Amino acid sequence: MCTARPSWRSMTIADMAYKKYMYNIDVHLDGIVSINAKTQTVRVEPGITMGRLIPILIESGWTVPVALDMEDLTIGGLVMGIGLESSSHKFGLFHETCTRYELITANGDLIICSKSVNADIFESIPYSYGTLGFLTAVDIQIIPAKKYVKLKYRPIRTLEKMESRLIVETSDLEHNDFVELLIYNKEEGVLMTGKMTDGNKDIKYVNRIGRFYKPWFFKHVESFLLTWKIGEEYIPLKDYYFRHNKSLFWEIQDIIPFGNHPVFRYLLGWLMPAKVALLKLTQTDTIKQLYAKHHFIDDFILPISSLKKSVQQFHTILNIYPIWVCPTILRPGKGLMHSPATVNNMYIDIGLYGEPKVSKYNPTILRDLEIFVLKLKGFKMMYAGTYLNIDEFKTMFDHRLYDRIRQNLRCKSNFPEVYDKVNRKARI
Ligand SMILES: NC(=O)C1=CN([C@@H]2O[C@H](COP(=O)(O)OP(=O)(O)OC[C@H]3O[C@@H](n4cnc5c(N)ncnc54)[C@H](OP(=O)(O)O)[C@@H]3O)[C@@H](O)[C@H]2O)C=CC1
Ligand SMILES: CC(C)=CCC[C@@H](C)[C@H]1CC[C@@]2(C)C3=C(CC[C@]12C)[C@@]1(C)CC[C@H](O)C(C)(C)[C@@H]1CC3
């Protein structure tokens, strides 16, 4: 079995081939069940998107600790896959802010799990890609929302300095609610650090970057490299959260190359953002082949101290810029993905999206990168699929608890293994 959510709705580039031959179960539940100020949690159904949840929470004075930057991501997808954001250096991966799941198992039982009830099942659900059961409800922690994010932009030269500055900023939890780095070439990047604030009466200018006529966010950030000055500005909270949505990080420049031109923005900017589901539903086979052969989209999660080494490697093999760097804390545990040590460790997500500018690019090069990441004790995001074989995959992701829970919940003849859903043959 798998969910009946069609491939064109999912925030991935490839089609999930397995949907064609597995039994599709409709779990399209997308409501907010309740907001509980006492326990500081919100209970939602898994199909609700970030784009619907966040505005409702903000209106009620709340927000979630890890608010994802693309409006169409669903809560179910982020728990069953993983999610991280610029606040993950503080709160960890998205599922670490979830406190309770409701799961329907293969034989139709409803299991409620949390840190104290069915704790092993609770721990094995994240990253299991819907292979333990169907989620029907998720409780997420909420924190008080403030009006703005005061964001500081700091241009930095050399990868060494980016790495050391990132280590300093991610450990300053008092001042930094958000930390993110965009690298624009082998030498230069802009480090952003932000604090949620209600501001004060003296605020003269608020940059409402979410307005339709505003430039693409990554271009705005790049402008700080031209002036080479430290910048600071207030951005409304919701605009900050969805800052990469309008430009789909920087993917939109290959689809609408003139989309950042002021004439386009002022006349037709209101048509944006392009709906990923619509793009996927209407894309032709030729475009799909073109992307498969000439485009790279993937995220790798590596120890923070390997920033320089990894970016150099990605430069040689891919030469794609900008590069998204998002720090995240990984905690020890027993689930599929956790820190290999017995203490919390700071990692970084390195996101590479775009057309490789090297002369001999071949999509199977991804396998070499995956092995490189495996050697550094890193992980990869699985939404883009994997070329690792099953043994390598099991070295990267700890299957001990997962296998035991699959046996207890009698998953074997009802749900595939994670690997069967994320290997390259399952995603075409
Ligand atoms: N900033 C970030 O962290 C970003 C993360 N992503 C990635 O995007 C994905 C999320 O995208 P989204 O489109 O929301 O989700 P998807 O439709 O891609 O679903 C992801 C997985 O979650 C499973 N799933 C979803 N809902 C349920 C449910 N109710 N019960 C059981 N299993 C469920 C799906 O199962 P099935 O296969 O059966 O359908 C699928 O395997 C994640 O993999 C995430 O890593 C993408 C962009 C940004
Ligand atoms: C961990 C993080 C932050 C991941 C960000 C991933 C984004 C860059 C991805 C998610 C969905 C995504 C794969 C997508 C595309 C680009 C990269 C996206 C936006 C596009 C729009 C590229 C063009 C393609 O023809 C098509 C329309 C199918 C896809 C749709 C999904």
Side-chain angles (χ1 to χ4, degrees):
M1 289 182 283
C2 65
T3 77
R5 180 171 160 83
S7 283
W8 56 266
R9 275 181 152 245
S10 150
M11 293 297 279
T12 52
I13 194 151
D15 282 339
M16 293 132 161
Y18 57 85
K19 297 246 167 185
K20 291 203 181 89
Y21 55 82
M22 282 184 197
Y23 194 75
N24 286 218
I25 305 285
D26 190 355
V27 262
H28 190 67
L29 305 162
D30 61 2
I32 297 183
V33 181
S34 59
I35 299 176
N36 190 332
K38 234 187 196 171
T39 55
Q40 298 216 345
T41 52
V42 57
R43 179 164 299 169
V44 298
E45 293 175 340
I48 192 164
T49 59
M50 275 288 158
R52 275 190 55 223
L53 176 63
I54 292 295
I56 294 172
L57 283 181
I58 291 182
E59 253 170 52
S60 333
W62 298 101
T63 184
V64 288
V66 181
L68 276 290
D69 42 30
M70 301 189 78
E71 291 181 4
D72 294 332
L73 288 164
T74 62
I75 302 302
L78 292 167
V79 170
M80 289 296 185
I82 51 163
L84 46 92
E85 241 314 305
S86 55
S87 55
S88 290
H89 69 288
K90 207 168 179 178
F91 299 104
L93 300 172
F94 176 79
H95 64 257
E96 278 163 29
T97 65
C98 298
T99 54
R100 176 185 180 274
Y101 305 124
E102 285 180 19
L103 188 79
I104 309 268
T105 60
N107 52 4
D109 295 338
L110 170 68
I111 292 189
I112 291 174
C113 57
S114 66
K115 268 195 182 144
S116 49
V117 179
N118 290 319
D120 277 355
I121 299 181
F122 180 75
E123 196 162 358
S124 58
I125 287 176
Y127 230 11
S128 67
Y129 269 77
T131 59
L132 296 176
F134 295 109
L135 269 184
T136 51
V138 178
D139 283 15
I140 316 164
Q141 267 171 36
I142 48 176
I143 53 173
K146 293 186 180 161
K147 278 191 194 155
Y148 310 108
V149 171
K150 189 178 180 189
L151 195 65
K152 189 172 188 175
Y153 304 83
R154 187 194 304 265
I156 303 183
R157 193 162 282 135
T158 80
L159 290 172
E160 273 110 2
K161 284 201 190 127
M162 289 183 220
E163 187 177 302
S164 55
R165 194 75 223 180
L166 202 60
I167 293 175
V168 172
E169 298 296 348
T170 48
S171 45
D172 184 359
L173 297 185
E174 195 194 326
H175 293 103
N176 298 331
D177 291 333
F178 307 98
V179 179
E180 176 183 26
L181 168 70
L182 293 189
I183 304 180
Y184 287 89
N185 57 53
K186 214 179 161 192
E187 289 288 298
E188 295 170 331
V190 178
L191 179 66
M192 286 164 276
T193 49
K195 179 93 191 147
M196 233 201 310
T197 166
D198 281 325
N200 54 42
K201 285 191 191 104
D202 303 338
I203 300 179
K204 286 192 193 83
Y205 173 67
V206 174
N207 191 357
R208 300 186 184 276
I209 57 171
R211 295 231 163 125
F212 72 84
Y213 49 82
K214 286 285 183 172
W216 291 338
F217 184 66
F218 74 98
K219 285 286 179 196
H220 171 59
V221 179
E222 193 176 17
S223 67
F224 290 91
L225 286 182
L226 300 176
T227 52
W228 208 267
K229 277 199 183 122
I230 294 183
E232 199 165 69
E233 63 188 3
Y234 287 87
I235 299 176
L237 183 62
K238 184 165 109 21
D239 290 22
Y240 174 78
Y241 283 155
F242 297 127
R243 64 201 177 282
H244 291 304
N245 196 63
K246 192 166 25 175
S247 51
L248 302 178
F249 284 80
W250 25 96
E251 286 290 332
I252 201 72
Q253 61 186 351
D254 291 336
I255 303 172
I256 310 177
F258 45 83
N260 201 40
H261 193 284
V263 176
F264 180 88
R265 283 192 272 120
Y266 282 90
L267 289 180
L268 293 172
W270 51 272
L271 282 168
M272 299 286 116
K275 196 88 183 151
V276 168
L278 182 69
L279 290 174
K280 284 186 82 174
L281 193 61
T282 55
Q283 76 169 341
T284 59
D285 266 353
T286 314
I287 302 269
K288 206 172 161 193
Q289 288 307 318
L290 212 69
Y291 268 90
K293 286 192 187 129
H294 302 287
H295 210 82
F296 188 91
I297 295 173
D298 218 329
D299 283 83
F300 303 102
I301 300 175
L302 293 146
I304 194 165
S305 53
S306 54
L307 183 135
K308 183 183 163 200
K309 194 173 169 185
S310 331
V311 173
Q312 278 170 343
Q313 176 79 348
F314 296 143
H315 177 87
T316 317
I317 296 192
L318 297 169
N319 193 6
I320 293 178
Y321 293 97
I323 296 179
W324 190 57
V325 181
C326 178
T328 180
I329 193 105
L330 276 198
R331 305 191 203 287
K334 296 184 283 178
L336 281 159
M337 186 176 153
H338 54 79
S339 153
T342 48
V343 289
N344 289 349
N345 269 339
M346 193 60 77
Y347 275 64
I348 40 168
D349 175 284
I350 302 192
L352 298 143
Y353 326 119
E355 188 199 341
K357 296 276 173 355
V358 284
S359 52
K360 281 187 204 138
Y361 173 70
N362 173 351
T364 52
I365 204 85
L366 174 59
R367 192 183 144 73
D368 299 347
L369 291 179
E370 289 177 333
I371 300 290
F372 168 79
V373 168
L374 190 60
K375 281 187 187 147
L376 288 176
K377 290 202 165 44
F379 305 89
K380 71 176 256 98
M381 296 274 272
M382 290 192 263
Y383 72 91
T386 178
Y387 283 107
L388 291 178
N389 65 36
I390 180 83
D391 296 330
E392 291 156 349
F393 185 75
K394 288 194 169 180
T395 314
M396 188 176 275
F397 299 103
D398 184 351
H399 276 55
R400 285 172 297 178
L401 177 66
Y402 171 78
D403 285 345
R404 186 156 60 77
I405 299 295
R406 267 181 70 82
Q407 209 162 10
N408 293 352
L409 297 181
R410 301 208 169 80
C411 296
K412 201 163 182 231
S413 54
N414 300 302
F415 293 111
E417 291 229 5
V418 184
Y419 185 73
D420 299 330
K421 279 191 167 185
V422 300
N423 72 76
R424 272 288 159 145
K425 285 184 197 132
R427 289 175 180 254
I428 46 163

